[in-house]
Amino acid sequence: MDHGEDVLHLVGDVVVESADPFDPESRTAELPYPGTPVDLVADADDPLVPPPGSGLRGWFRRFGGVLLRCGLPLLPVGLLAALPMHFFVGRVDDTVVAAPALLDLLGGFGLLLLPLMWLAYFTVSALPMVICLAGTVAVALYRAALGVPPRPAALWRLVVYRLRTLWLWFAAFSVVTQALPLLLTADRLGPAVAVPLAVGLGLLSTGVLTFTGVLGCVVLIERGNGRRRALHLLSMMPLGGLIVASLAVTVLPRLADAAWGGIASTIVAVPTVLLWAMAALVAYCQARRAEGPVTSRSLFAGMSAPETF
């Protein structure tokens, strides 16, 4: 017996030298987190996570269940988001009106305040989306995992440490969805491009909302590189329901504003954004289930884990 070749060396636990969860050839080793059962099996009757292979039909059933269970508890969330949504979302062009007044302020130096006004609008305009998504994820997970009505203090503890990161992401994307329509207008580019421009900007906004919905769920529930993780999950889920919800957020408030004014636009926008947040959460859960066993309780445990600094 050659002892130089046949000796089995055991060095404590399994050592993973390099593990990339996004390796297309799956050359990784999955180690369970401490305290997580190795034989975790997702329940087919989970109120939030669609069964594996259920496709768009499974997504729709879980989406309807979230709407029935959480519609009333989300009413305070919608009321909280309504005020900033009415006064800031889609109002960035109002800063252009203020430019002549700023030109006369302090001998023209007041015009330097215009970029700061834009930055403030972009930042605050992301607040309603942050409120709706964070509130929806917290309420839906709490209700699905514990089966009891959510408590406001407990919901706040779930999301408080993740709101800053979520707000920064959403503020960055609001620059795309609000600044481009301000810069690219039919008056500047000509009436011939009015219809293609409106369609293109609508598709861009829908795509951004589809991505940020999943990104927001990653930020609220998981750790790590949110952008890369969101792109990975988007490739593992049927996107039809989330795309329709994102398109509704893009189109319906604008139609209401054109037909009945700003107040009607806000009344339409608040429930539409809440429905988008529900659609994003169910789509995220479906993608997580496609990766492996996961339940509402395990997702709630991940979201409840204390922050490490």
Side-chain angles (χ1 to χ4, degrees), residues 31 34 137 207 278:
L31 298 180
V137 171
M278 297 178 195

Side-chain angles (χ1 to χ4, degrees), residues 48 62-63 66-67 69-71 73-78 80-81 128-144 150 155 158-159 163 166 213 216-217 220-221 270-282 285 300 303:
L48 189 57
R62 293 302 184 267
F63 175 80
V66 173
L67 180 60
R69 289 191 308 273
C70 303
L74 284 175
L75 182 59
V77 176
L80 184 63
M129 309 296 287
V130 171
I131 293 173
C132 289
L133 185 63
T136 299
V137 171
V139 169
L141 276 180
Y142 192 100
R143 188 67 182 268
L155 297 178
L158 282 177
V159 301
L163 288 179
L166 184 64
C217 293
L220 290 168
I221 299 174
V270 171
T272 306
V273 173
L274 287 174
L275 291 175
W276 163 80
M278 297 178 195
L281 176 60
V282 177
C285 293
F300 181 77
M303 191 174 183

